[in-house]
Amino acid sequence: DTEVTQTPKHLVMGMTNKKSLKCEQHMGHRAMYWYKQKAKKPPELMFVYSYEKLSINESVPSRFSPECPNSSLLNLHLHALQPEDSALYLCASSQIWTGNQPQHFGDGTRLSIL
Amino acid sequence: QQQVKQSPQSLIVQKGGISIINCAYENTAFDYFPWYQQFPGKGPALLIAIRPDVSEKKEGRFTISFNKSAKQFSLHIMDSQPGDSATYFCAARGNTGTASKLTFGTGTRLQVTL
């Protein structure tokens, strides 16, 4: 079992729906990340939060909206997604953003857009 | 310069054999090199990592060899087992600026046969 917990494990939504992905860690990590992974590809960084502040946005479309309510929680709000957004969405955390701290990944949310 | 090149794309090894996966990088600002193992339906799990001040690191059956002058590093899996069948990603990261983001290789699908 991973120490980064993601819910739901699977999500199917229409292009007009609004849904949210949730990520939780209780390791005291102060950096949290969202990645997108397509089949047979490596994870691609989307967002980085450091001490609950957004540090990096990799030019992600505004239909993806991240939120970090506290140091243990990370959400990804989804609205008006496109079929090409179907992918595995991974959350990760590390002690801090800098200093080459290892990143620990959750098992992801498998998202399908109809 | 941010790329990490990984080979081979896929690998079939007999049980008990040695699996070898190679990676090369260009960015001299990279100073942390982790390997991740990913099983189907799961997130990437940190396997082993190395910093460039050492040439080799061993953990159980897994060994990283690092050649700083050639900007290459490799993962060796000794006595490969069917349970090692997974996708392996090398990665690299630096301490500052754009190098702070974890850059993944393209992945190697390993199949260990009986």
Side-chain angles (χ1 to χ4, degrees):
Chain A
D1 290 339
T2 63
E3 295 178 87
V4 177
T5 304
Q6 291 188 243
T7 54
K9 293 192 185 305
H10 303 274
L11 180 62
V12 179
M13 58 187 286
M15 289 192 284
T16 58
N17 291 157
K18 285 185 181 180
K19 295 285 185 183
S20 297
L21 310 184
K22 181 180 172 182
C23 173
E24 197 165 1
Q25 59 87 12
H26 294 289
M27 296 180 281
H29 290 175
R30 302 313 298 270
M32 296 186 76
Y33 313 80
W34 281 114
Y35 287 84
K36 173 183 178 180
Q37 186 177 28
K38 296 285 245 183
K40 299 184 181 181
K41 297 289 186 183
E44 298 174 28
L45 184 66
M46 300 175 70
F47 302 103
V48 178
Y49 273 84
S50 178
Y51 290 89
E52 296 99 70
K53 287 186 173 24
L54 183 64
S55 294
I56 289 183
N57 175 341
E58 289 287 273
S59 303
V60 178
S62 60
R63 57 186 184 267
F64 295 91
S65 175
E67 178 197 21
C68 190
N70 59 56
S71 60
S72 301
L73 276 176
L74 187 66
N75 298 320
L76 186 63
H77 303 297
L78 315 172
H79 174 55
L81 295 194
Q82 304 298 307
E84 61 266 26
D85 297 323
S86 297
L88 180 68
Y89 287 84
L90 294 162
C91 175
S93 71
S94 62
Q95 286 278 4
I96 55 175
W97 162 230
T98 57
N100 296 326
Q101 298 297 313
Q103 292 185 21
H104 300 270
F105 286 81
D107 284 336
T109 293
R110 176 75 59 189
L111 177 65
S112 299
I113 308 300
L114 300 178
Chain B
Q1 203 182 19
Q2 282 293 106
Q3 280 188 330
V4 176
K5 295 180 181 178
Q6 182 171 348
S7 63
Q9 189 174 20
S10 63
L11 182 60
I12 300 176
V13 172
Q14 274 199 320
K15 179 182 174 181
I18 302 173
S19 304
I20 301 173
I21 304 171
N22 300 300
C23 286
Y25 64 98
E26 289 293 326
N27 192 340
T28 54
F30 289 154
D31 63 359
Y32 173 70
F33 303 89
W35 285 88
Y36 284 86
Q37 178 189 57
Q38 187 174 24
F39 293 104
K42 297 289 188 181
L46 180 64
L47 195 60
I48 186 172
I50 197 168
R51 299 186 201 281
D53 52 345
V54 296
S55 59
E56 187 174 283
K57 183 174 181 180
K58 184 176 180 179
E59 287 184 5
R61 296 185 294 109
F62 300 91
T63 300
I64 300 179
S65 297
F66 187 85
N67 185 330
K68 187 174 180 178
S69 60
K71 290 185 281 188
Q72 295 174 347
F73 58 110
S74 59
L75 177 69
H76 292 62
I77 306 174
M78 312 299 287
D79 186 26
S80 298
Q81 298 298 311
D84 297 329
S85 298
T87 298
Y88 292 81
F89 292 100
C90 64
R93 127 173 243 207
N95 216 353
T96 57
T98 56
S100 297
K101 295 180 285 189
L102 196 58
T103 300
F104 285 91
T106 49
T108 296
R109 298 186 77 182
L110 171 65
Q111 183 182 353
V112 180
T113 61
L114 293 170

